[in-house]
Amino acid sequence: MFFASDNWAGAHPAVNERLSRESTRFAAAYGTSELDLSIEKRFNEIFEREVAVFFVATGTAANSLSLASIARPGGLTFCHSEAHVIEDECGAPDFFSGKMLPENLIERIARYPQDAVHHGRAAAITMTQATEAGTVYTLDEIDTISKIAKENGLPLHMDGARFANALAALGTTPAEMTWKRGVDVLSFGGTKNGCWCAEAIVFFDPSLARDFSFLRKRTAQLFSKSRFIAAQFEAYLQDDLWLGLAGHANAMANRLRAGFGSLNSARLAWPTQANEVFAILPKAAAEAATQKGAKFYDWLEPRDMPENVGKDEVLIRMVTSFATTEADVDEFLSICAAV
């Protein structure tokens, strides 16, 4: 019963098999192999346009480099107060996601005019899709954030560590959820959804990436054997495996949500749509589950949480993955029901 995070799961067998085959051959280095180039073209197909793609090893690198590439001197990047780039990346991007409320975003941007040399100026907006709260921006909500960005002359970045989960939840296409809504740069995640170590930065206007190769090199993210990242993506993207894996993770989260909804002893803290579930349990239930090997995280109560946590209760976060089974979910729920 591993619900701590989707990056606790291993790699999908298809990814492992492709890496194994790649390890037996010679190929050109530093992203110039035929495999590297073919996967770059595959991204063009997925997003239905020519894009500039750069492979990196971690989500932190993808977000930090994406935001650095669109930064300006004295610039501030706006996001939700509990965005992944703030809460889980040790300040690596060093910028000010839940969901951003348009009215709050407009008000915050207005505080930092372009001539505010003592306080910094607005430089970019980043949104997390799916969010750290397990929610998913609808296409209309992305449109609204994008409109605010364009009205203020700000590039829009999307943190897509769980991009596939959001895509599966919305039942839309990669193009519809990104550049067709005005997203300029995407951190495309694979590690949380069945890859071993594979992330990509996608520029929907290749001209924005004109100098990016130098930035990636100087931050130690240009790997000599980058074809091993490309190999993972080849397996991951083939026959829409990535969407199937994300769909399974979401389905297991739906099973958890439905189960908590039927229990008297536990309840959902707030509605979620992707593969993260936040629940309020009796402390005794959480302790019983832990004793039986369940892995999950106690979670701090967010400021705007709609449900109160009692003194004998605990808020927990559970994350499902491609490797989560129905048996895992049902066992955890049965433990909660027995307390």
Side-chain angles (χ1 to χ4, degrees), residues 101-183:
L101 296 177
E103 58 270 26
N104 291 350
L105 180 59
I106 292 170
E107 185 273 334
R108 184 61 64 89
I109 292 173
R111 295 185 193 178
Y112 299 94
Q114 291 300 305
D115 59 353
V117 67
H118 295 291
H119 305 289
R121 56 178 176 168
I125 299 172
T126 180
M127 61 193 308
T128 308
Q129 181 74 329
T131 75
E132 282 300 288
T135 56
V136 175
Y137 285 96
T138 66
L139 298 184
D140 286 343
E141 288 171 332
I142 300 173
D143 272 331
T144 299
I145 299 298
S146 174
K147 182 180 178 182
I148 295 170
K150 300 313 180 241
E151 288 175 346
N152 288 275
L154 304 177
L156 177 59
H157 166 257
M158 179 177 283
D159 173 357
R162 295 187 175 96
F163 183 81
N165 300 96
L167 204 64
L170 291 179
T172 188
T173 68
E176 288 292 346
M177 202 170 76
T178 54
W179 65 269
K180 288 188 176 181
R181 311 251 83 79
V183 175

Side-chain angles (χ1 to χ4, degrees), residues 189-210:
T191 305
K192 293 180 184 292
N193 192 40
C195 288
W196 172 69
C197 179
E199 310 284 319
I201 300 169
V202 182
F203 292 87
F204 296 106
D205 177 359
S207 69
L208 293 175
R210 187 177 299 111

Side-chain angles (χ1 to χ4, degrees), residues 3-4 82 88 98 130-136 162 253 256-257 260-261 266-281 296-302 305-307 309 314-320 332:
F3 299 105
E82 292 167 0
D88 296 290
T131 75
E132 282 300 288
T135 56
V136 175
R162 295 187 175 96
L256 271 175
R257 286 186 276 264
F260 283 126
R267 63 194 184 277
L268 293 173
W270 58 82
T272 57
Q273 297 82 46
N275 64 318
E276 292 183 87
V277 177
F278 296 82
I280 301 171
L281 309 182
F296 53 85
Y297 283 122
D298 293 351
W299 211 250
L300 293 176
E301 298 176 41
M305 183 172 163
E307 291 277 342
V309 179
V314 61
L315 171 65
I316 68 168
R317 186 194 76 165
M318 305 179 71
V319 188
T320 55
F332 188 92

Side-chain angles (χ1 to χ4, degrees), residues 232-272:
Q232 293 174 73
F233 276 133
E234 182 178 63
Y236 183 67
L237 300 173
Q238 188 171 358
D239 298 326
D240 288 338
L241 175 65
W242 63 300
L243 297 177
L245 299 180
H248 173 83
N250 289 3
M252 294 301 97
N254 287 339
R255 193 177 184 91
L256 271 175
R257 286 186 276 264
F260 283 126
S262 66
L263 293 178
N264 294 323
S265 60
R267 63 194 184 277
L268 293 173
W270 58 82
T272 57

